[in-house]
């Protein structure tokens, strides 16, 4: 935990960063590496959602990295009723996510994906299942089978985006724009626009301004037609199982 820096007369406020694997996850970490003065709760997972109100500090905005939450988690723990809370929800085109997930996990870069047995993948780990075939369509289908629950959680927020306490951030925009006004609007929503360090960090963490993509990025967000980039048989599976998420999220 970083040292707490007090500034101004800011109200007690919790900012919940609702993010997902390969969808705002590493970006949020980078923002707070660039700005270590803004108070940051590095990681809260759904089973510990009831601990979030404990981080509310009078006069100090607190950003909380909420990993793979669904709307039910917020409802069940009364988080939607917290005064002055803000919810920044990251979304990504489901087909873009699938393309990226296959490319990222195929070589085996994360222990959980390499070692954890997955019942829905016949007891294989995600990386093992991806490497069990040379067929790209099959690999994309494996990724869709594994990450369907994650997209159910992401799509669960679709009806919240019109609320004043919610803001939706499309990774396609976040990773591609270098417009300072775009990042200032995010900072204003979080009531952190008076912190120049934070506003700069939001922009600096985006791949748009990087000469070289960070290691965890596959560049799939640059694909203009991610659905069209899926293999034909994977498109069929997508239409049956993932199209509903794209429709709900407006992709």
């Amino acid at each position: 935990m970083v040292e707490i820096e007090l500034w101004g007369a800011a109200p007690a406020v919790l900012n919940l960063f609702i993010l997902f694997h390969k969808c705002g996850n590493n970006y949020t970490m980078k923002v707070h590496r660039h700005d270590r003065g803004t108070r940051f709760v590095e990681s809260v997972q759904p089973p510990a959602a009831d601990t979030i109100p404990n981080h509310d500090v009078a006069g100090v905005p607190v950003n909380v990295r909420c990993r793979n939450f669904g709307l039910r988690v917020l409802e069940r723990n009364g988080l939607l009723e917290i005064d002055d809370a803000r919810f920044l929800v990251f979304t990504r085109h489901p087909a873009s996510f699938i393309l990226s997930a296959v490319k990222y996990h195929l070589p085996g870069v994360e222990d959980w994906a390499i070692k954890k047995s997955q019942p829905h993948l016949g007891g294989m780990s995600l990386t093992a299942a991806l490497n069990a075939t040379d067929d790209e369509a099959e690999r994309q289908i494996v990724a869709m089978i594994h990450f369907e629950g994650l997209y159910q959680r992401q799509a669960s927020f679709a009806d919240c985006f019109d609320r004043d306490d919610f803001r939706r951030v499309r990774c396609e925009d976040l990773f591609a724009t270098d417009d300072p006004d775009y990042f200032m609007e995010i900072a204003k929503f979080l009531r952190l626009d008076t912190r120049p360090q934070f506003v700069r960090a939001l922009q600096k963490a985006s791949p748009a301004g990087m000469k070289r993509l960070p290691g965890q990025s596959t560049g799939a967000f640059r694909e203009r037609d991610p659905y069209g980039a899926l293999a034909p048989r994977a498109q069929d599976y997508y239409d049956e199982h993932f199209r509903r998420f794209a429709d709900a999220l407006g992709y």
Side-chain angles (χ1 to χ4, degrees), residues 9-61:
V13 55
L14 283 168
N15 294 320
L16 276 62
F17 286 57
I18 308 296
L19 44 82
F20 306 89
H21 182 62
K22 300 197 67 61
C23 184
N25 196 17
N26 284 286
Y27 171 80
T28 298
M29 295 292 288
K30 282 184 169 58
V31 167
H32 292 89
R33 289 192 194 109
H34 294 313
D35 173 21
R36 295 183 180 274
T38 301
R39 193 166 189 266
F40 180 43
V41 180
E42 183 173 316
S43 180
V44 177
Q45 298 192 37
D50 61 344
T51 68
I52 289 175
N54 298 338
H55 297 288
D56 195 354
V57 180
V60 182

Side-chain angles (χ1 to χ4, degrees), residues 59 70 73 78 91-92 115 117-118 129 160-161 179 219 223 226 244-245:
V73 174
T91 71
R92 182 173 184 173
K115 298 176 180 178
S117 172
Q118 305 291 349
C160 298
F161 297 150
D179 182 0
E223 179 63 59
R244 58 195 169 112
F245 305 135

Side-chain angles (χ1 to χ4, degrees), residues 11-237:
V13 55
L14 283 168
N15 294 320
L16 276 62
F17 286 57
I18 308 296
L19 44 82
F20 306 89
H21 182 62
K22 300 197 67 61
C23 184
N25 196 17
N26 284 286
Y27 171 80
T28 298
M29 295 292 288
K30 282 184 169 58
V31 167
H32 292 89
R33 289 192 194 109
H34 294 313
D35 173 21
R36 295 183 180 274
T38 301
R39 193 166 189 266
F40 180 43
V41 180
E42 183 173 316
S43 180
V44 177
Q45 298 192 37
D50 61 344
T51 68
I52 289 175
N54 298 338
H55 297 288
D56 195 354
V57 180
V60 182
V62 181
N63 295 337
V64 183
R65 179 169 167 257
C66 300
R67 300 174 61 188
N68 298 329
F69 277 40
L71 181 60
R72 284 187 182 181
V73 174
L74 301 185
E75 294 172 337
R76 187 165 57 243
N77 291 279
L79 299 175
L80 297 176
E81 282 70 54
I82 296 177
D83 289 342
D84 292 322
R86 293 290 183 273
F87 304 91
L88 192 69
V89 182
F90 293 80
T91 71
R92 182 173 184 173
H93 193 300
S96 170
F97 174 88
I98 294 306
L99 294 171
S100 183
V102 170
K103 187 174 181 179
Y104 179 69
H105 287 294
L106 186 64
V109 292
E110 295 191 12
D111 280 349
W112 70 266
I114 298 170
K115 298 176 180 178
K116 188 174 180 180
S117 172
Q118 305 291 349
H120 51 276
L121 299 178
M124 289 188 288
S125 71
L126 174 59
T127 295
L130 291 172
N131 281 279
T133 177
D134 291 329
D135 184 78
E136 193 63 17
E138 189 63 28
R139 286 173 173 168
Q140 292 166 357
I141 291 170
V142 165
M144 283 187 270
I145 291 171
H146 182 72
F147 288 110
E148 183 172 357
L150 182 146
Y151 260 85
Q152 287 175 339
R153 297 178 188 185
Q154 189 175 129
S156 71
F157 291 102
D159 291 337
C160 298
F161 297 150
D162 290 333
R163 289 178 49 146
D164 291 340
D165 53 348
F166 274 77
R167 183 181 179 95
R168 184 245 196 108
V169 175
R170 294 174 183 254
C171 286
E172 294 80 9
D173 300 332
L174 178 69
F175 294 167
T177 185
D178 57 3
D179 182 0
D181 290 342
Y182 174 84
F183 298 98
M184 177 59 78
E185 288 303 312
I186 295 175
K188 284 180 179 178
F189 171 75
L190 299 171
R191 280 86 36 101
L192 286 165
D193 51 305
T194 59
R195 293 229 359 116
Q197 304 97 314
F198 182 75
V199 180
R200 285 196 299 269
L202 287 174
Q203 185 164 4
K204 192 173 182 180
S206 169
M210 298 179 184
K211 293 182 180 179
R212 183 184 305 172
L213 291 177
Q216 78 282 351
S217 178
T218 65
F221 67 88
R222 292 172 172 165
E223 179 63 59
R224 292 190 176 184
D225 179 15
Y227 173 77
L230 294 173
R233 189 157 53 87
Q235 288 179 348
D236 293 340
Y237 188 93

